[in-house]
Amino acid sequence: MIKQAPLVMIPGPTPVAESIRQAMAIQTYGHTYSGFVAIYKECLTGLKQIFQADHIIVTGGAGTLAMEMGLLNTVRAGEAVLVVSHGVFGDRFGLIAKALGIHAEVLTCPAGQVVPLTLIEEKLQAKNYKAIIVTHVDTSTGAMAGIRAIGQLAHKFNTLYIVDGVCASAAVPEPMRDFGIDVIVTTCQKAFGTPPGLTMVAFSERALQRREELGNVPGYYSDWKNWLPIMENPGLYFSTPPVNLIVALQEAVKIVLAEGLEERYSRHNRIAASIRAGLAAIGLELATAQEALAPTLSVIKYPEGVEDTAFRANMEQYDVFVAGGIGALKGKAFRIGHMGNICINEIVLTLYAIERSLCAGGYPVIPGAAVGEAWKTWQCY
Ligand SMILES: *Cc1c(COP(=O)(O)O)cnc(C)c1O
């Protein structure tokens, strides 16, 4: 039998829709070709609409570069920021700040929970931070922050508000104007569903003003001011953008807008409810507190006796690729990404592979128990 690549059910990259693959298979355009300039512009316009952004920069890189660009253009070395961390990616923001000579105070909490709002308010009350930074969905714990409520606090204390949207953008609402967000740092291989390779930073007029006040920043490729003229007119040259990926992203943006934002967000909730009903039906438990559950991924505790490496190797045998735990949950949990351009079919296949891999690992389940519950939930949602 011909072996296909396994279905990628990890928290990014996510499965790439056929029309996106076809779009990026074009013969590479010259990066200043008028046809490409039009595609780039259309893509940026669509993204601004999705995020309610005043400005946006999209170019080659990854989510981590976006995080660095978000901070480097808004905070000076020696200044203080408050990082609300729910796991590995929140902690990463602390490390980026350190690398830039910025003092980061990192608020943490037990894995799978979120930092209480009252604690964040106390901190903001006690000290004047240049920015508050929050990971919308931390991909290591599956915890989702209340970015709207935190935005109200940021507004109350007049602090610049930076959100890491990487594991949430295009799956969970992130309206910048409505929520008072100044900077969203994100990328394309998670809920946008394109192959990896792009960095995306959306920002407000206020954030741009901050950039202006800083004068020189310790970066060149990362400096917003080098990119903004290109975003106005992509026919100009600063550094060659990944042409085929931009074409792919434009197709992804078209898919998002054609589906409709509300529809897309509610599909993610429906998918999450379905997969979780399936997992619960075979006795699996999540590592994330109920009130903090993100719709984009599930972090599942291993039942007694099921071993991480063997389980995931088995999953691959059944053509589904899931991720291991990271950070505090390494070896103790596995992670399923369920975001982007997927539907119930992928969920059913994933649960089928989980059922079989658990059986192979000595944790018996009734064949179809998880699968059946998932599609019942999908139907009745
Ligand atoms: C994946 C992820 C990142 C890092 O993105 P890369 O593209 O791997 O650099 C940052 N933050 C969150 C929340 C993520 O899920």
Side-chain angles (χ1 to χ4, degrees):
M1 203 173 93
I2 299 167
K3 189 81 181 156
Q4 303 266 2
L7 178 66
V8 272
M9 296 302 282
I10 58 176
T14 60
V16 178
E18 184 60 20
S19 70
I20 295 176
R21 286 205 288 164
Q22 293 293 340
M24 72 183 294
I26 48 140
Q27 174 62 271
T28 301
Y29 300 133
H31 56 287
T32 57
Y33 160 61
S34 60
F36 176 63
V37 170
I39 289 170
Y40 210 151
K41 274 190 172 163
E42 213 179 308
C43 176
L44 296 170
T45 304
L47 289 168
K48 277 188 187 169
Q49 186 186 332
I50 291 167
F51 293 113
Q52 297 182 344
D54 294 333
H55 304 278
I56 190 153
I57 294 169
V58 177
T59 191
T64 305
L65 176 63
M67 294 162 79
E68 188 163 303
M69 284 173 83
L71 200 51
L72 178 156
N73 285 278
T74 53
V75 184
R76 236 186 228 107
E79 293 180 335
V81 298
L82 183 65
V83 177
V84 181
S85 177
H86 300 123
V88 167
F89 291 99
D91 292 349
R92 175 172 291 189
F93 241 121
L95 297 173
I96 293 171
K98 195 170 171 214
L100 294 170
I102 293 164
H103 298 298
E105 201 164 318
V106 183
L107 276 177
T108 59
C109 62
Q113 297 181 18
V114 289
V115 175
L117 218 50
T118 48
L119 198 58
I120 301 172
E121 180 155 22
E122 271 171 36
K123 284 284 171 190
L124 291 175
Q125 193 125 43
K127 187 169 162 181
N128 191 8
Y129 297 94
K130 281 291 164 182
I132 174 169
I133 302 165
V134 182
T135 316
H136 193 172
V137 173
D138 201 300
T139 322
S140 64
T141 62
M144 179 161 72
I147 59 163
R148 176 175 223 158
I150 297 173
Q152 282 161 358
L153 289 180
H155 180 76
K156 181 172 167 190
F157 294 98
N158 195 26
T159 306
L160 199 86
Y161 186 25
I162 302 176
V163 172
D164 173 354
V166 174
C167 197
S169 303
V172 189
E174 293 179 330
M176 298 184 71
R177 267 195 288 281
D178 295 348
F179 287 6
I181 303 169
D182 290 292
V183 184
I184 290 184
V185 300
T186 191
T187 185
C188 61
Q189 78 272 18
K190 303 211 179 180
F192 279 103
T194 81
L198 291 173
T199 211
M200 298 155 73
V201 190
F203 48 97
S204 67
E205 204 53 55
R206 181 162 90 135
L208 179 58
Q209 236 171 13
R210 184 68 78 79
R211 168 64 196 88
E212 298 291 355
E213 287 161 21
L214 292 185
N216 288 327
V217 294
Y220 179 69
Y221 186 86
S222 298
D223 187 350
W224 290 355
K225 291 188 74 168
N226 284 330
W227 285 108
L228 279 173
I230 315 303
M231 299 300 112
E232 285 301 311
N233 176 9
L236 302 174
Y237 169 75
F238 169 58
S239 171
T240 313
V243 171
N244 294 55
L245 271 177
I246 302 280
V247 176
L249 182 62
Q250 163 53 5
E251 176 60 22
V253 166
K254 258 201 243 171
I255 291 174
V256 171
L257 294 175
E259 182 174 14
L261 290 179
E262 289 317 312
E263 276 296 313
R264 192 172 178 91
Y265 301 145
S266 95
R267 172 170 55 81
H268 279 85
N269 288 331
R270 189 175 174 194
I271 285 175
S274 304
I275 194 164
R276 285 167 190 162
L279 295 167
I282 52 172
L284 297 187
E285 287 175 13
L286 304 179
T288 316
Q290 183 66 30
E291 66 280 6
L293 282 174
T296 48
L297 80 157
S298 291
V299 185
I300 300 122
K301 290 193 247 177
Y302 280 118
E304 196 62 39
V306 179
E307 196 275 323
D308 177 44
T309 319
F311 172 77
R312 286 188 292 125
N314 267 321
M315 288 293 286
E316 267 184 64
Q317 288 297 309
Y318 297 113
D319 292 321
V320 178
F321 192 64
V322 292
I326 52 173
L329 294 167
K330 192 172 168 56
K332 297 180 189 154
F334 68 101
R335 299 175 301 146
I336 304 172
H338 36 79
M339 66 187 123
N341 297 316
I342 59 158
C343 203
I344 187 65
N345 296 28
E346 286 81 3
I347 298 308
V348 164
L349 186 57
T350 302
L351 289 170
Y352 158 77
I354 288 174
E355 289 183 9
R356 295 208 63 175
S357 302
L358 286 174
C359 286
Y363 178 93
V365 299
I366 298 164
V371 168
E373 204 52 41
W375 75 257
K376 261 192 276 173
T377 303
W378 177 263
Q379 284 312 109
C380 301
Y381 191 81

